[in-house]
Every structure is written in C-alpha cells, then in structure tokens.
Amino acid sequence: MSRYNAKETEAKWQEIWRDRRIFEVSEEPDRPKYYVLEMFPYPSGRIHMGHVRNYTMGDVTARFKRAQGFNVLHPMGWDSFGLPAENAAFENKVHPAIWTRQNIAVMRDQLKSMGLSIDWSREISTCEPEYYVHEQKMFLEFLAAGLAYRKESWVNWDPVENTVLANEQVIDGRGWRSGAQVVRRRQAQWFFGITQFADELLEGIEALDRWPDKVRLMQTNWINRSEGARVHFQLIGRKDGFDVFTTRPDTLFGASFCALSPNHPLALECAKTDPALAEFLAECGRLGTSEAALEAAEKCGHDTGLTVAHPFKDGAALPVYVANFILMEYGTGAIFGCPGHDQRDLDFARKYALPILPVVYPPDIEAAGFEIGAQAYVGDGVLINSGFLDGLGVTAAIIRAIARLEEIGAGEGKVNYRLRDWGVSRQRYWGCPVPVIHCASCGIVPVPEGDLPVTLPDDVTFDEPGNPLDRHPTWKHVDCPLCGAAARRETDTFDTFVESSWYFARFCAPSSDRAFRRDAVDYWLPVDQYIGGVEHAVLHLLYARFFTRALKRCGYLGIDEPFAGLFTQGMVCHETYQDSDGGWVYPSQITTGPGGQMIDVESGLRVTVGRSEKMSKSRRNVVDPAEILELYGADSGRLFMMSDSPPERDLEWTESGIDGSWRYVNRIWRLIAAPDGAVAMAGAAQPDAFGEACVAMTRMIHRAIFAVTADLELFRFNRAVAHVRELTNALEAFGSQEAGHDWVRRFGFDTTVKLIGPMMPHIAEELWQRLGHEKLLAESDWPVADKAFLIDETVTIAVQVKGKLRGTIEMPRDAENAVVEQAALALEPVRRAMGGAAPRRVIVVTNKIVNVVV
RNA sequence: GCCCCUGUGGCGGAAUUGGUAGACGCGGCAGACUCAAAAUCUGUUUCUCGCAAGGGAGUGGGGGUUCAAGUCCCUCCAGGGGCACCA
C-alpha cells in the first residue's frame, strides 16, 4: 500500500472540479438557495493563516449545505483599493495597479490550492473600472437623494506629506511616515448620511438573531441613542443664543453655567475680540485630535463674559464658559452644567467657584439635610428647588420639563446619537474617484452618466508628497458639463469601506452591465452566512447595513439587511520567540536543542519563548500557509483549522497540531484504501440480520451522522472533527467476522468519507472513487441518521449516594422507577456508602441517574 | 471609569444545557516491530493517600440555591475585548 500522496491527489481533484464546473451556479427559483460568503481579502501579496481559517470555515459550510441539497452561492473577490498599494508604489517604484494585480494572481492560485468550492466565474476586483463604475453611479443617486453631501470637517493634516491622514496613521500626534506634528484643519469632505438611518439601524439589530450578541451589542453602543431635550438659551444683551442637548432637562433648575466647545461658532466669534480666549482655543487645538490626548488633558474652561437667560427662572442669568471637554461633534457642541447631578459639572463648578444647587434628593433621605459633597448625585429621587417640578420623580419631571420647554418655545424633546455621518473622502490616489466636477459658476456638478466611469490616470508618481491626482498636470482640468467653462475635477477618492459595502450583492450577477440584476439579487440575497473577523464588527458591518438600506431607497435592492447570519472567527496565534538581543525570530528558524531548549537553527543560540499572540509580521510569529500546503497538503491544513479550538475563539498554531492532522489523513487513508477485512460492493443490499457487534457498529455510525450534522449546522467544527475521529477509531477497532460485517464496514466507510468531505474534500473524493462510486462526492447527498439506531435498548444509569457517584447499573431503557431503585440499592458500593442507614429519599431520573439521600 | 466575554488535566478543548467531569486531539510514560531510527501499532496518563482492595479532593477563590452545580444566584480575583470627557 502506497503512502497517501496529498499533492498529486489534491491537484487531480481540483482539476476535475474545475473542468466539470461543479461549483458554478445559477438561479434556480424552485430550489432552496444558500449564500455563503467570507469577507473578501485585501490582496496584500500572499494569503496568511487567518485567511486559511476564514475560507476553510466558509468552504466547510458551503460543501455541507450543497450536500444537503441547497443551491449554494460561494463566490470570491478582491478588496483591491487601498493604501498599501500606494506604499508599495512609494517603496518599490511599482504602479499600484500592477502591484495589486500581481498580488491577486498569486493569492488566487494559493486559494485555489486550498480546494475551495468557489464559483470562480464570479470573481470580482474592486479596483477595476467595471466594478467601481457602478459605485460612481450609486454615489450620484445618493447625491440626488440627499444621502451624500459635502461639508467642512476636521481632518488630520500632515504638513510635510501635504496630505490628510487617517486616524490610524497618526501615532502620538505625529504622522506615521513623516514624523511631523499633525495639525487639525478644516476641509470640505464628502459624507454619507448614515445618521438618517440611525433609528432603523438600531432597531434592525433586534432582528439579527443569527448574529453574535457581542457584535449586536457593539453596534448598539456605537449608535448610542440617547433621549433628552434640546434647550435654547438666549444670550442676554444680544438677539441670538445657542442650543444645548441634555438627557436631564429635569435638572434645569440646578443649572449654574453653560459651556461651549472650543470649536463652537460662538466661541470662535468671541475669540476675535478676546485675546486670552483666543489663546485658550489655540491651546485646545494643540492638544491634538486623538481622544486619548483629550482624555489625559485636565478639564478647564474660560469665561467668555457672556451670560444667558435661564429658560424657566425669570431674571436668572448663567455665565457662559468655553470648556475643553465639550465635543463639537456630539449633540450641539454646547451644554448646560448642573453641578449637583453630574460629576463633571461638579468638578468644573468647584474649580471656578460656581453655585451648586441640589434639585433632586434621594429617596429615604431628609430633603432638608441633603447636600452635595464630593460626589454628584446622579440617581433617581424627588425634585426640589425646582418650581413647577417640585415633588415629581425624575422620569415624570423630564416629561414635564420637556412639555414646558415646548410650551414656551424654548426647546423640545430630542433624540441624540453618538453615530456620526460617514466621511468617505480620502485624499488618495488608489481609490474610486468621486465623480463630480467643481465649477465656479455652477457649483458641484455630477459627472454625466455617459462619461462614467471616471478612471484614474496611469501616469502618476509617488515620490513626492501630496495627492497624485491633485498634482497631475491635466487630469483634474475639465470643462463644466453644464456651462462649458473651465472647471476642476474632484480629486478625492472614496474610503475603501465603500467598495466593501455592496460587493456581496454584486456577486449575484457580477458581469451585469447594471450594478445588480434584480432577479439575481432577489433570488440570492440576503447572504445566509457571512464569516469574518470580529475587527469588522462595527465599521464594515454597519456601513454595509446602511448601504443596503440606501440602495433600497434608490430602488436597487429589495432588502434591508445584507447578512442574515454572521459568524465572527477568532484569530490565529503562535508562540513568540526572541533572541538575547530582544529581536524577534521566525518559528521556522527555531528548533529544539539539547536539553529541550529552543535554539536558533543558524546561530545555535538560545531563544526565549514568549506567550502566544496573534500572528503578525512585526513579531515574526508567522507560519506561511504556502509552506504548510506544500508540505502537508490542503486537507491536513484545513483539518487542523477545524480541530480543537472552537471557531469563535483564538486558535493556537502548533507544529504538533498540524502533525496530528497529517497523521489522521494517513490513518483514514490506510483504514479505507487498504481495509483490514472485507468490504461489501457499493450498492450491495443490506443483510436481513446482524450480529451484536454489527448492530453496535451501525448504531455508532448513525450516532456519528447525527452528531456531525448537528455540529456543522451550529458551527461547532471542533466537535464535528472529534465525532468523526471517534467514528474512525470505532471502525479501526471493528474486527467482527459476523454475518453482514462487510456490509457494515462498507456503510461505515461510505459514511466516514461523506462526513469528512466538507473538511477534507480531496482525500474524501479520492476515497469515494476508490470505494467504487461513479458520481463525485461533491455531487452526492449528505447522509441522514436513522433515528431508530440512535436509541439504545439498554442504558447505563449512574447511582449516587448523597450526590456522590458510587456505581452504575445497566438497565433496559425506560425501566420502572421502582425496579431501577431496587437495583441501585442492591449495589455493593452503594450499600457500603449508606453505612447501614435506611434511605430517606431516593430520586430516580428515568434513564439517567439515581440519587440516594440518607 | 462604564459595558461585555472568558477562566475545566502538563496543553488545546468536550460535557445531551441542572444529572457518571475530562470526549476528541496534542504532549508524556511504558511496551511491540526494527541491527537501529523514522513511520506504525498496543497500553497508560486529573491530582492525592495506599503494596493492593479501596478512599479522599477536584472545573479561578469564597459564599448560596438544589436530592444533585463546570452549568443557576451573590461576591471577589485574574485574563481578554469594546467604548471612553457622549452632555
């Protein structure tokens, strides 16, 4: 018997699947569909272990569902716009398009060598004009529908690179590449109106019952809806005023000041005539944009000298401060401060000697003796010192206060969200151009549909700072489509999250000349099972949910939610190694030296073994999937990915683990390709009667079918693997010569091959052929467990005395409780444990347990 | 600071959802085959007392509910994650 040749066999079946177009699908309205999608990769150059884990999970699901009779859509594409391509262009003098397409070619081959059941005829790449032309059309529709707009907003500006930086490109307040101090700057940017859907997106979370609770919670917190009131404060001695947002309008009578954000228009206005305030605002600006920096800064303010009228207390005036902790981006950028019932307001009031008036006193405390100490009182209670609100509870007082505000025209009930509109402008080359033209007389003019796509110019360089589109000699100079005058093309490109917000729908009809073919999206969408990393829990998944609604509003799609089921996988981790200088060492450079020490292969020097962490190039604790595929084959790698660790948790990559999977591949090969004992012909009739060993084996097979099916259904891949291994162990031990043993062995082999099919498709297909089947395994049905074999005639019942196990008894299934009790009490260890005492009570749980209480 | 998750042998993990804790795998130990090694196979492997038969302890710590708790409740500890001046 020859050893299993993974390389040869895997290539053979990949070719057969491809040639027979097994995984290419089309809409079949009378068959149930199932859309499995893994988050598509960024073409960084080579696949990594995270990809292997992600795509294995998706493939197992796709193959399993296909065997169960579903019409399965399982596509693949490339999220191919983005900054790394520009960095590569800068470093290696290679054009982003060339770099990207080369990477795609390499990674496509790598993914194909994994044996994924993907319909490659649907492959898409987001950096190609055939893809993003539709995005440009969508944008223009969004623009017309008021879902996209342009406004000034703050950006991180790198004065050396002459470019806008993303938040993650700002490290300790400095540009990641230039090291220059980043400055905040206002710039006109494009936005998508995601906040228009804030409530819908929040309420929609409720119905996403096949999403992890964790992700649902994160999105809920991200949107962060809070109910309260908008209150208008009138400036004394002026005609204007400003609005604040508050969740506690009930505490208005306790207000002792108002505070504005340093970016508030009124603050900026005051600074023009108040040099000290101007200096204060400049100081706030220097703090940087990172929230961590804001956090560390001491809370302080500056008195503007202005006062506002209290909306409820006639004649009362409140001072107006500018305070560094007020965010312009949240609420209205202004607050009123009630020091008695908000800790931050209390700290501020103490610092600037402002009055502190309690207006809510806690239950069970004398109102007269109640004072605010070091802690503001934020709990429920009864209103005092509050005029018409006195005596009310907090909830009632909020309602009454809002009603009064509305009566006197000083405010209204309002719902506020933390969620902000999605800024999609990037001052970058390698992205989808925003298809508009700026005209001096006509303003913002959409590029006419006939002129789309707006494509990127090829003749660009990356060796100087700034946006290559902006400094291109001709690209941006165009005539206005309306008036024909010289105009300027928009040089911003879209955030790459835009492309990934609709790609799942494009897969339904990837070569349609319209963005979506309606009958195709109506058939395939929503995605039944979406799989990816939890790092996309908020942004990508929220943007895609928004986009789906926006597309529905513009008539593109008929659904609200893009992903009916979501699974977030854990990371792939590995031990870390450091040499004596603290330098990171690759696992492939490590070997076990004499005495069990880990040593560097080349230098022979000792390395220290650190904790297991997410595989990352910076720590060098990476294992290249290409080497694993070459050495062990795809099936072993896939099996290891599914074994041991539950898929939602982190997986620890170990050498011995992949060895174990490789051993299993060979074991199953020996078991089935070179069986020890007779095997009935494929399709042989089932014998009328079996001996005891055959019946037991048959039960085991049916139990395995039942367990593995349930496990795969619920994404419990590690348990599915354990159950298949149990079955393999049992078949190896099955040496019966009873009548029918050859039939049982055949049944066991066929079943084992079917059950491992989704995880190890190549060896399964090969064994399936060797077992004499004409049809491909990939086209065969999933086995169904016969319930009659799942129930045993006898059961093992545990016998406890005072909750402690003392023995077990074998009883016929569903035996009378009295009979079971008698048998239990007759057990020697039970009698001993009872010490001659009479049982006070005996609990019998049918077919499970007997507990004797003495 | 607030919110969420996790904690089980030497290791990854399992436990029909309140009913025999440790399935399955990794590693270790002993043995078989071999001149030897690799590969493979067999046995063993929670800890502890004991020659043994047997006993005791045990799911991060403490407390509780229950005939019965890894599982439910309270509390503390540790690790991980999310949000973070959110008005």
Side-chain angles (χ1 to χ4, degrees), chain A residues 427-754:
Chain A
Q427 288 70 35
R428 293 283 158 205
Y429 169 76
W430 196 234
C432 171
V434 178
V436 298
I437 289 163
H438 299 276
C439 171
S441 44
C442 309
I444 290 168
V445 182
V447 173
E449 198 172 320
D451 293 348
L452 294 179
V454 175
T455 55
L456 296 164
D458 281 331
D459 50 338
V460 286
T461 52
F462 296 88
D463 41 15
E464 13 174 349
N467 181 354
L469 291 180
D470 201 34
R471 63 165 186 267
H472 190 277
T474 57
W475 189 76
K476 70 177 172 184
H477 301 297
V478 288
D479 293 339
C480 172
L482 292 182
C483 68
R488 187 178 60 80
R489 196 183 277 295
E490 173 65 66
T491 57
D492 283 356
T493 51
F494 286 126
D495 178 2
T496 57
F497 275 124
V498 179
E499 285 86 63
S500 56
S501 291
W502 60 279
Y503 79 108
F504 54 87
R506 179 68 181 165
F507 277 133
C508 298
S511 46
S512 167
D513 50 12
R514 309 194 45 185
F516 311 113
R517 216 180 65 225
R518 198 53 197 261
D519 60 323
V521 289
D522 286 348
Y523 176 75
W524 291 113
L525 293 181
V527 174
D528 295 278
Q529 187 63 61
Y530 196 37
I531 309 169
V534 74
E535 65 272 21
H536 293 113
V538 177
L539 297 183
H540 162 57
L541 290 166
L542 195 60
Y543 292 152
R545 293 182 61 217
F546 153 71
F547 227 84
T548 303
R549 286 171 167 78
L551 288 171
K552 185 185 181 191
R553 189 185 279 185
C554 295
Y556 281 92
L557 302 174
I559 53 164
D560 290 314
E561 291 293 343
F563 312 119
L566 172 71
F567 189 89
T568 54
Q569 78 198 61
M571 299 179 298
V572 181
C573 299
H574 197 285
E575 274 182 339
T576 49
Y577 308 104
Q578 281 177 290
D579 59 28
S580 50
D581 300 329
W584 301 104
V585 185
Y586 288 106
S588 54
Q589 268 178 265
I590 305 291
T591 190
T592 310
Q597 299 287 357
M598 298 306 253
I599 56 166
D600 189 312
V601 176
E602 277 170 41
S603 65
L605 296 173
R606 262 188 71 177
V607 295
T608 43
V609 180
R611 54 179 285 179
S612 181
E613 292 184 72
K614 180 190 178 175
M615 282 190 181
S616 76
K617 280 184 188 140
S618 60
R619 285 191 205 85
R620 298 196 168 182
N621 60 337
V622 288
V623 174
D624 187 350
E627 286 172 25
I628 298 302
L629 292 172
E630 174 70 23
L631 209 59
Y632 297 93
D635 288 339
S636 297
R638 293 169 59 121
L639 177 65
F640 180 59
M641 285 293 156
M642 298 288 99
S643 307
D644 296 350
S645 294
E648 68 279 8
R649 284 210 226 163
D650 288 353
L651 173 124
E652 164 96 17
W653 180 276
T654 59
E655 193 81 3
S656 49
I658 183 71
D659 279 342
S661 295
W662 166 245
R663 271 202 297 276
Y664 181 71
V665 167
N666 284 290
R667 255 179 76 191
I668 205 160
W669 178 257
R670 281 194 304 273
L671 173 69
I672 296 174
D676 185 16
V679 181
M681 293 289 288
Q686 181 172 353
D688 296 332
F690 290 130
E692 215 175 288
C694 287
V695 171
M697 188 67 236
T698 307
R699 275 189 207 293
M700 173 78 214
I701 296 165
H702 283 284
R703 260 202 295 268
I705 296 171
F706 183 80
V708 171
T709 306
D711 290 338
L712 293 184
E713 207 74 69
L714 296 168
F715 263 62
R716 300 184 302 210
F717 301 121
N718 55 323
R719 300 207 313 196
V721 171
H723 283 125
V724 171
R725 294 186 94 125
E726 265 182 320
L727 176 60
T728 312
N729 291 347
L731 283 166
E732 280 178 338
F734 180 64
S736 167
Q737 292 299 312
E738 291 168 353
H741 71 98
D742 58 333
W743 190 91
V744 172
R745 194 171 286 114
R746 142 75 48 186
F747 177 48
F749 289 176
D750 277 357
T751 302
T752 303
V753 168
K754 282 185 169 181

Side-chain angles (χ1 to χ4, degrees), chain A residues 770-808:
Chain A
R770 286 178 185 237
L771 281 166
H773 297 282
E774 299 278 315
K775 216 158 83 169
L776 293 181
L777 178 64
E779 296 174 302
S780 301
D781 294 338
W782 192 251
V784 177
D786 183 341
K787 290 210 170 61
F789 283 96
L790 299 177
I791 300 157
D792 282 321
E793 285 139 17
T794 61
V795 289
T796 308
I797 294 172
V799 183
Q800 300 179 333
V801 177
K802 287 187 289 184
K804 193 165 275 199
L805 184 75
R806 295 296 169 180
T808 56

Side-chain angles (χ1 to χ4, degrees), chain A residues 302-357:
Chain A
H302 192 280
D303 194 346
T304 60
L306 298 171
T307 53
V308 285
H310 193 288
F312 291 156
K313 284 196 225 171
D314 279 342
L318 303 176
V320 178
Y321 282 74
V322 174
N324 65 349
F325 58 87
I326 312 296
L327 305 173
M328 194 59 218
E329 293 82 7
Y330 187 77
T332 61
I335 62 153
F336 80 80
C338 176
H341 306 287
D342 181 286
Q343 190 59 43
R344 205 185 37 201
D345 294 348
L346 181 63
D347 297 343
F348 193 81
R350 286 263 151 80
K351 185 162 180 174
Y352 295 100
L354 296 160
I356 298 160
L357 176 68

Side-chain angles (χ1 to χ4, degrees), chain A residues 257-262 266-267 270-284 298-306 319-326 348 351-352 354:
Chain A
F257 66 96
C258 279
L260 306 171
S261 162
L266 186 57
C270 292
K272 284 180 191 159
T273 53
D274 182 346
L277 178 59
E279 175 51 30
F280 177 74
L281 297 191
E283 214 172 282
C284 293
E298 198 191 341
K299 289 162 189 52
C300 53
H302 192 280
D303 194 346
T304 60
L306 298 171
V320 178
Y321 282 74
V322 174
N324 65 349
F325 58 87
I326 312 296
F348 193 81
K351 185 162 180 174
Y352 295 100
L354 296 160

